[in-house]
Amino acid sequence: MLIYLVPVSLGLGLLGLGAFVWTLRHRQYEDPKGDAARILSDRWDDRPAPADERPARARSDHAGPTPGDRG
Amino acid sequence: MAMTEAPGGIGCIGCVTAPAAQGKGAAAAENEIVLAVPGADCAACIPQLEEGLTPLPGIREARVNLSLRRLRVRHDGSLTPEDLIPEVARLGYEALPLDLVALSGTENDRIGRDLVMRLGVAFFAMMNVMLLSVAVWSGAGDATRDIFHLISGAIAIPTVLFSGQPFFRSAWAGVKRGRLGMDFPISLALVLATSISIFESFNGGHHAYFDAAVMLTFFLLGGRYLDHRTRAAARSAAQELAALEVPRAIRLTDEGQETVNVSDLAVGDLISVRPGARVPADGEVVEGESEIDRSLLTGESLPARAARGCVVSAGEVNLTGPLTVRVTAAGKDSSLARMAALVAVAEEARSRYTSLADRAARAYSPLVHTLSFSAFAYWMWQTSGDVRFAINISAATLIITCPCALGLAVPAVVTAASGKLFKKGLLIKSGTALERLAQVDTVVFDKTGTLTLGAPEPLDLGAHDAESLSVAMALAQGSSHPLALALAKGAAERGLRPAPVSEVREVPGHGIEGVWQDQRVRLGRADWVGAEVGEVTATTLRIGAREPVTFAFADALRPGAEGLVTALAKQGLELHLVSGDVAPAVEELAGRLGIPAWTAGAKPEEKAAYVKALAARGRKVLMVGDGLNDTAALAEALVSISPASALDAARAASDIVALGRDISPVEDALRIARQAVRRMRENFALSAAYNVVSVPVALIGLATPLLAALAMSVSSVTVTLNALRLK
């Protein structure tokens, strides 16, 4: 049994860790107050926002550290 | 102070690549404008601002950050902050341009994100290792136990190596400097716990401390992160204040005018200073006549006359007429920079303050090392050379005494306290400010701009007849001189309407004149109007050949100042008033507020010397001031507070910035600081108490990983809860 359960539990944990790293990389903790308010907005309830109106940061931040970062 | 050590390790990766990154950053930020929008504090602001701005020509994207109260606008390169501010105002919000260069440090908080990443990894490892450990504690034996230990090790070793880095680095830096801080025993415990557990797991031992090692990392990183966040939040707000003052000057060249950075000015340049603007560099007036407000530099509340040949200094405010100034000193030679050098010297002295945490660490490290080593030696002797057993015991001692709670004791309290103070409009800039504030027994106030608003208020308007008041009001409306503004406002508040005065014109440096009922009317300096010059701040009105009417002014008291002084006096604090203003004005205010000790006409060096003399008598001085003339004294005092309206240099020199107009939160700051220090001491006592119980258990060899885990988590949680009790 343990041979399955231990990897499963570790895998689930890693999944959570991966999700956390992803949110951190995508700067989802930068404006917690604003995001709490945005989720209640019904602006894009019917259809998703067109690509050019989506926040720029979600697209450009894949490349790791942003230029201008201070050391 | 601790601030300087932060960039040392993690930041250096960025330092190496900095030149290239900066170039790219400037290019990327070119089409981006950041505005501070202090009024954006509700959910409705987001669509209002974003949907209101996006349709405008040239704007690609507008995004509100509600947490920072900032608006970030990307555009096609055609817009300037000056274009955007009226648009934002049209939507009903006040906006201030922010200097992107000054902000660059806070926009991307790399150290913070790095810490969160390590914290996240440590949390994952802690939870998983704990799951496996619970099975072992519940009695899993033999092969199962050994396999679980090995799996735990496979998780814990990389975690400790990755997440523990901040401690290892700082411990190593300490060793190189020959000083063992708190991080050395932490690192030692982590390394020892991990290596002993590796050995035990491979040899089928009963106890492995992987869970303890990971847990230790997690809790200590938590404390480290809280500490960082408090400082980063304060720093970002302080930088925002600095970024609000975009340092620009208008330079006159042969081709006309150009706007340049103050740092680009050279001696001999001609600059134009508009009414209402701050003089950007030291110089001599070559053209124009005006009055200048020196209050931020010298504390004088009366405006001084400026005409051809007069010397002006950076930081003064030009009031009435445009001036052309030839720069005589710029950059490092200017009076502003000299003042900054004075501040740097005093700051140096203050950074030698030893914080509570430092003192605790100093007592703690040797004690723990001695205990652990004696345990090792004793058991070696007792068991006649059983190294494995002896090392196990000394490692258990190190782990159990490890300062989880000690590491959290101060940051948790500081976080709670600065959150409380931020809500009251106070910004803590330094980590040890609370501790220093709690010791204060003497408060030294500056007058102009600190206890008063630095803005005049007309006295006894009711004593004047309505006719002359309405004439004066009509004239006053034609000027932006502070006395005129105050007079016009005062008259409007009495429900008066301006008399129909025609041909109103301002005579820079003198006053305003016009024609009313075919008589010439003048409002301004007494000697210009043709009246006797009085002693108090006043402006004089003369209608035709009638007797001149004098309007007297007093500096308006800052809201909350009276209550603050009374409350502080009641607490038994010694109060002083030190001002650069003239004696009558200072004496009047001291009398009104009930401050027994006052000094007038004090120069910047004298203010600093005054504070120093108090400190030499053993007083713990809190300095509250706003002017450039206060900066040296602010830096000299044990702890200092300045209002947000203060000059940049003064805010930089102080530990706490009061953001609102009201100054009464200073009293809250003192109260909360005393309470915070009490909590810190309680926290130290609490963590010591846990050790008193657990250390003997460890020393006699009865410690188990379960016990270590319990002691660690319970003490950390208690300490955090105690910090949250702060009111």
Side-chain angles (χ1 to χ4, degrees), chain B residues 590-642:
Chain B
R592 183 143 54 121
L593 293 176
I595 301 177
W598 58 270
T599 310
K603 292 200 193 74
E605 310 84 66
E606 289 167 2
K607 285 198 178 195
Y610 191 92
V611 171
K612 208 173 186 170
L614 281 173
R617 269 173 41 207
R619 312 297 301 190
K620 310 280 188 206
V621 182
L622 161 67
M623 171 83 200
V624 190
D626 79 314
L628 206 52
N629 57 336
D630 299 317
T631 37
L634 285 169
E636 188 71 53
L638 179 68
V639 56
S640 48
I641 302 182
S642 64

Side-chain angles (χ1 to χ4, degrees), chain B residues 264-310:
Chain B
D264 295 337
L265 286 178
V267 173
D269 279 353
L270 282 179
I271 49 173
S272 160
V273 185
R274 296 197 181 122
R278 191 161 279 168
V279 179
D282 293 1
E284 190 190 320
V285 179
V286 291
E287 209 187 311
E289 240 183 288
S290 176
E291 280 182 300
I292 50 170
D293 178 357
R294 296 205 150 125
S295 56
L296 277 174
L297 273 143
T298 63
E300 292 166 56
S301 53
L302 266 181
R305 181 91 179 274
R308 210 190 143 101
C310 286

Side-chain angles (χ1 to χ4, degrees), chain B residues 479-557:
Chain B
S479 169
S480 60
H481 190 283
L483 292 186
L485 287 175
L487 187 61
K489 191 165 158 255
E493 274 163 12
R494 304 189 69 83
L496 290 168
R497 328 203 81 229
V501 178
S502 56
E503 293 168 45
V504 176
R505 74 183 185 98
E506 182 159 18
V507 184
H510 295 288
I512 317 131
E513 66 177 7
V515 175
W516 177 67
Q517 291 181 355
D518 296 329
Q519 304 177 78
R520 198 163 64 146
V521 286
R522 274 180 166 183
L523 176 74
R525 296 181 81 91
D527 46 359
W528 178 65
V529 172
E532 260 175 59
V533 183
E535 266 206 354
V536 287
T537 314
T539 183
T540 313
L541 171 78
R542 188 157 200 180
I543 303 177
R546 287 195 220 170
E547 264 305 290
V549 183
T550 300
F551 298 98
F553 293 85
D555 206 352
L557 218 52

Side-chain angles (χ1 to χ4, degrees), chain A residues 6, chain B residues 127-137 148 151-152 155:
Chain A
V6 169
Chain B
M127 282 314 180
N128 282 281
V129 171
M130 209 49 86
L131 258 173
L132 298 163
S133 301
V134 168
V136 176
W137 297 336
F148 276 18
I151 299 174
S152 301
I155 303 170

Side-chain angles (χ1 to χ4, degrees), chain B residues 4 7 21 86 162 166 173 180 241 256 282 293 297 317 336 360-361 394 409 427 445 513 519 570 601 612 626 663 727:
Chain B
T4 49
F162 174 68
L180 300 186
L241 285 172
D282 293 1
D293 178 357
L297 273 143
V317 179
L336 264 172
S394 83
L427 204 75
F445 288 104
E513 66 177 7
Q519 304 177 78
K570 205 182 269 172
K612 208 173 186 170
D626 79 314
I663 198 161
K727 286 213 181 61

